[in-house]
Amino acid sequence: MIRGRTRMALSVGAMLYRSSLSGPVRLMATDTQSVAAKLNSSGLLRSQALIGGKWVDSYDGKTIKVHNPATGEVITNVPCMGGRETNDAISSAYGAFSSWSKLTAAERSKLLRKWYDLIMAHKEELGQLMTLEQGKPLKEAIGEVSYGAGFIEFSAEEGKRIYGDIIPSPLADRRLFVLKQPVGVVGAITPWNFPLAMITRKVGPALACGCTVVIKPSELTPLTALAAAELSLQAGIPPGVVNVVMGNAPDIGDALLASPQVRKITFTGSTKVGKKLMEGAAATVKKVSLELGGNAPCIIFDDADIEVAVKGALATKFRNTGQTCVCANRILVQEGIYEKFANAFAKAVQGMKVGDGFTEGVEQGPLINEAAVQKVESFVEEATSKGAKVLIGGKRHSLGMTFYEPTIVTGVNSEMLLAREEVFGPVAPLLKFKTDEEAIHMANDTNAGLAAYIFSTNIKRAWRVTEALEYGIVGVNEGLVSTEVAPFGGVKQSGLGREGSKYGMDEYLEMKYVCLGSMN
């Protein structure tokens, strides 16, 4: 029953995302430059920033190379910008805010819907661009395009349902109202692991509410953001409503924080950077929403359906090569089925195909860069030095570059880095527990609180453990939990606020109380 209800609750966007992992798609097997040339001819390979509706270079001419992590080849150069360009982008967004916020919700909805339609019409090209700069398998990349576009579609619809309120007045000659109005200019800082979805999840609701945005994508994956911005212009979204700058992250961040014209910061990334942004936003008392790091436990109880648990753990651990904030960072297995699960899980992981994302059948691509590989290596080495055992994998892949073998490590305990910090790579540490209470304690013994997963066929146990877990998201017999119609976000040091769903709209709105007195 639990499994059925969970699956039925998934949105169209989530189903599109899932079907893309196994459904038919036109795959390419070619080199970086030929893919780039094809994308360039389509007009989607942009290599300049967008400020006030114009494509511009950095003012001092500095650039950054964007690499294909699977091959190391340079795709193109993009501007390396700083404070001056960011301040101009802020001014552009501030200038556009007055007219954009005055449009009716229905008018904004029509433009967002056109943007959604264009993204879906170009989902294969956007998927190819994402695989080129980020490395994820093409099927997975195209799945992200559908998933990311879902936030635009949902926001276009939900923006027409931003309601105020009427409060019964204690005085007969007064009327009390609550209005919801756009917060203003939004600074959106996004990561490299989901180059489209992390942008649309912020920009969709921001624009639907009447805000304008300055987007700062990761320097590692700016091209998908620029392509999405190009499509926003083609959709008729006015110049200045969407701006994109990239380059020197500290300088750009400082400009966004210092400007009194920027009224909100929304950020997805590390807890360390999130804390700095939160501190910096205090000077101008900006509204802040943060989706930060996780340390997701995946709890496999002894009454779990092993087949379902293996499938779910595989999906939540190895999607995007383990490079997601909601990846299962720790797999807690009850001692009665520990060996059985470990063997079944190892068999499934051994069957995964690793390679360039454009190659047919590939399920795992490269890590984003050399630093990411070195982090994974150090975590595995630290665990094995303290007694953990590598069941499968545990080293760089024979493909070279930043490819790393899908890995399972057994005998992990709570003192090891693999259990205490995000590995952000294709390494699944298995920890053993005895009782429900021990599993809950192990799961909650962290500063993070983003996502958690439970596998059990006992509905009483599932509800009891779900309520005891200190996490903003809990998947029960399900490894893929993200959808535009549900609130995404964490507790504790995993962040503030929610993205997606009707709750995510409130992050871009201010509440105004109006007291209307007697007119006589």
Side-chain angles (χ1 to χ4, degrees), residues 93-114:
Y94 187 74
F97 174 70
S98 178
S99 57
W100 179 251
S101 61
K102 284 184 174 62
L103 291 178
T104 66
E107 290 172 319
R108 291 195 296 266
S109 176
K110 289 176 182 177
L111 293 171
L112 284 171
R113 181 71 201 197
K114 288 180 182 177

Side-chain angles (χ1 to χ4, degrees), residues 148-165:
F151 288 100
I152 302 294
E153 182 184 36
F154 181 87
S155 300
E157 298 165 350
E158 196 65 21
K160 294 182 287 187
R161 292 186 284 272
I162 297 172
Y163 303 132
D165 207 354

Side-chain angles (χ1 to χ4, degrees), residues 187-232:
I189 304 172
T190 60
W192 49 263
N193 56 341
F194 289 90
L196 182 72
M198 295 303 97
I199 289 174
T200 57
R201 198 159 74 179
K202 301 174 187 302
V203 176
L207 267 56
C209 289
C211 300
T212 55
V213 297
V214 177
I215 304 166
K216 189 270 168 196
S218 169
E219 309 79 51
L220 300 174
T221 57
L223 304 180
T224 305
L226 295 172
E230 163 64 24
L231 293 176
S232 77

Side-chain angles (χ1 to χ4, degrees), residues 74-141:
V74 175
I75 304 167
T76 190
N77 295 329
V78 297
C80 181
M81 294 178 156
R84 284 196 299 151
E85 295 92 341
T86 305
N87 284 327
D88 284 350
I90 293 168
S91 296
S92 171
Y94 187 74
F97 174 70
S98 178
S99 57
W100 179 251
S101 61
K102 284 184 174 62
L103 291 178
T104 66
E107 290 172 319
R108 291 195 296 266
S109 176
K110 289 176 182 177
L111 293 171
L112 284 171
R113 181 71 201 197
K114 288 180 182 177
W115 190 17
Y116 163 80
D117 289 338
L118 284 170
I119 290 173
M120 292 302 293
H122 293 280
K123 66 179 182 180
E124 284 202 18
E125 294 99 320
L126 290 168
Q128 291 164 9
L129 185 56
M130 194 184 303
T131 295
L132 202 60
E133 66 173 347
Q134 199 274 338
K136 65 180 62 179
L138 183 56
K139 287 184 179 180
E140 198 171 326

Side-chain angles (χ1 to χ4, degrees), residues 7 20 37 45 52 58 77 84 100 106 148 300 302 328 461 487 497 516 518:
R7 285 173 179 163
S20 70
L45 182 57
S58 59
N77 295 329
R84 284 196 299 151
W100 179 251
I300 316 293
D302 54 11
R461 168 185 266 169
L516 181 63
S518 174

Side-chain angles (χ1 to χ4, degrees), residues 445-457:
D445 188 22
T446 172
N447 288 329
L450 185 56
Y453 306 89
I454 299 169
F455 289 87
S456 170
T457 56

